[in-house]
């Protein structure tokens, strides 16, 4: 069994020996991963229990030990702790399930207790993060069999039906390169807010309305009009919320950070409530879901989960060994640009800083915010394995090859509506509007589409309507060998294993 040695401090020799035995070992039991956190820099005192206890969590990561810049062993330990939590199969003894809570992003009570610990339709629907994010490796995507049913975050009703009037069915996205994606979104948000603020200042100084183009990293988000009174007219913005915050996660682009996404997913999919949203501060109780377990997920646990996700290496573009594939991919790469795919699926966006900070500055209430901690947890992604190969611009920015633009687009029209198969809006985003799917890693993450019901890349390209229609039509008009070449190129974009 793998062991992590740690001696808990105690004045009594027999107590010290018992604590050492509990803290020293981690093992995989018949029910899943049992994590026993040793006391030390990044964790709290280990719980006094048998190593074979049927639970995944026997201690909690201490958020107070994670302030400042983390490097070396301390960072590695935090990432390892996050991976254990991501792989862990939570049990009823950990607090899995939410008999008196709904999946709503705002803590909301059920009208009656759920009769099931797990429920595929309304959730909780999984005991482990890794049970859905598994293809081709842990942290990856999911097949159709692990689709989730998601109700609008502000709808409080319980539901147990696949009727699309009550829930949207979603396929699982991969998490590789997620830290870079969040950093890009933060920098874009800063740029957009600066443009807005300058426009307001100019309007006040001149006494005249100011129209400002909203462009960041080459992505156009429409225009706004700033008035001398301080009002901002945002009716002409595109692909973003009126607050001009880029939200890069979720297929609709509604989650601002990995932390917000994680806190939401823990409750939705596992019934594991994070104290920063479901604890006494916001709900007045330590057991909001009524399962008899207090404070199920601590702030430090979420920080560890975020660290593991944020440090997943970015997908890569491979060079095929087979000469025919190599030649076809080269042709397909040029066609990708020529027919307009890169208009939305931008090959790369420039990133000024690779220092990841958690909690994020734009988190909303119910997710830990940078203003609520003495100091953020920081680590430089550039120093980690799998990040060093990223190219740089002449001015030193790192090019993140995500093949996306972090912008929402209308994906349907009257003739083609396959990618608008949802009847519910989500977080005020129209039902036929989705964020551009990042294509890095796409060769490793079939099936495709928001519901995961398109089995080939050819099918999902043909399903593009709305703003994607012009590029789609050019693809359909290509000669068969050219369409095949474009697919050959996309098949070089893989998740490293």
């Amino acid at each position: 069994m793998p062991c992590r040695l740690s001696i808990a401090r105690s004045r009594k020799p027999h107590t010290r020996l018992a604590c050492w035995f509990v803290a020293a070992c981690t093992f995989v039991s018949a029910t899943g991963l049992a994590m026993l956190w040793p006391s030390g820099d990044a964790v709290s005192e280990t719980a006094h229990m048998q190593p074979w206890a049927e639970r995944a969590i026997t201690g909690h990561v201490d958020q107070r030990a994670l302030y400042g810049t983390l490097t070396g062993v301390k960072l590695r330990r935090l990432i390892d702790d996050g991976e254990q939590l991501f792989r862990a199969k939570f049990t009823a003894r950990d607090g899995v399930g939410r008999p008196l809570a709904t999946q709503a992003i705002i803590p909301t009570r059920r009208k009656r207790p759920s009769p099931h610990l797990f429920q595929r339709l309304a959730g909780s629907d999984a005991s482990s993060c890794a049970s859905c994010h598994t293809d081709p490796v842990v942290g990856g995507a999911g097949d159709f069999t692990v689709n989730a049913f998601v109700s609008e975050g502000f709808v409080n009703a319980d539901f147990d039906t696949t009727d699309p009037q009550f829930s949207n069915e979603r396929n699982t996205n991969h998490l590789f390169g997620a830290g870079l994606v969040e950093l890009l979104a933060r920098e874009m948000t800063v740029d957009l807010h600066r443009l807005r603020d300058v426009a307001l200042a100019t309007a006040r100084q001149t006494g005249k309305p100011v129209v400002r183009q909203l462009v960041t990293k080459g992505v156009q988000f429409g225009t706004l009009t700033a008035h001398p009174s301080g009002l901002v007219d945002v009716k002409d913005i595109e692909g973003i919320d009126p607050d001009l915050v880029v939200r890069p996660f979720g297929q609709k682009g509604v989650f601002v950070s990995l932390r917000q996404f994680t806190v939401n997913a823990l409750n939705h999919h596992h019934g594991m409530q994070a104290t920063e949203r479901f604890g006494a501060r916001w709900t007045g109780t330590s057991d909001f879901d009524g399962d008899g377990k207090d404070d199920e997920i601590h702030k430090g646990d979420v920080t560890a989960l975020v660290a593991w996700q944020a440090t997943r290496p970015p997908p890569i573009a491979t060079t095929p060994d087979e000469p025919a594939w190599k030649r076809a991919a080269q042709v397909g790469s040029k066609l990708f640009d020529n027919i307009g795919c890169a208009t939305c699926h931008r090959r790369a966006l420039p990133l000024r800083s690779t220092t990841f900070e958690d909690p994020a500055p734009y988190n909303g209430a119910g997710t830990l915010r940078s203003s609520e901690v003495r100091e953020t947890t920081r680590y430089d992604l550039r120093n980690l394995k799998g990040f060093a190969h990223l190219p740089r611009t002449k001015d030193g920015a790192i090019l993140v090859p995500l093949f996306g633009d972090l912008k929402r687009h209308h994906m349907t029209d009257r003739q083609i509506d396959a990618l608008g198969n949802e009847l519910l809006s989500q977080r005020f985003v129209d039902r036929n509007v989705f964020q551009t799917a990042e294509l890095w890693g796409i060769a490793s993450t079939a099936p495709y589409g928001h519901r995961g019901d398109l089995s080939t890349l050819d099918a999902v390209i043909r399903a593009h309507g709305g703003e994607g229609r012009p590029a789609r039509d050019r693809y359909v008009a290509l000669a068969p060998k050219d369409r095949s070449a474009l697919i050959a190129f996309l098949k070089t974009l893989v998740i490293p294993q």
Side-chain angles (χ1 to χ4, degrees), residues 3-8 18-27 33-51 55-63 66 74-88 90 94 272 296-308:
C3 293
R4 179 185 294 169
L5 298 180
S6 177
I7 299 177
C19 290
W20 176 86
F21 175 77
V22 172
C25 297
T26 62
F27 72 103
L33 183 68
M35 300 190 316
L36 301 173
W37 306 72
S39 56
D41 291 341
V43 294
S44 63
E45 193 71 17
T46 303
H48 291 210
M49 58 173 45
Q50 301 94 336
R55 61 187 305 170
I57 301 176
T58 58
H60 295 281
V61 181
D62 186 359
Q63 178 68 27
L66 301 174
K74 195 169 185 179
L75 175 58
R76 185 70 259 166
R77 187 174 182 181
L78 178 66
I79 294 171
D80 288 347
D81 288 343
E83 181 175 6
Q84 289 189 64
L85 277 166
F86 195 88
R87 291 176 177 269
F90 301 115
D94 299 306
M272 295 292 292
E296 295 167 3
I297 296 289
H298 291 197
K299 295 174 183 177
D301 302 336
V302 179
T303 299
L305 277 164
V306 168
W308 187 77

Side-chain angles (χ1 to χ4, degrees), residues 93-112:
R93 294 184 178 182
D94 299 306
V96 76
R98 42 179 168 81
L100 288 174
T102 70
Q103 64 168 259
I105 195 169
I106 297 174
T108 305
R109 290 276 189 177
R110 289 183 180 270
K111 296 178 181 178
R112 61 192 67 83

Side-chain angles (χ1 to χ4, degrees), residues 140-151:
D143 203 345
F144 186 84
T145 55
V146 294
N147 279 6
F149 294 85
V150 184
S151 71

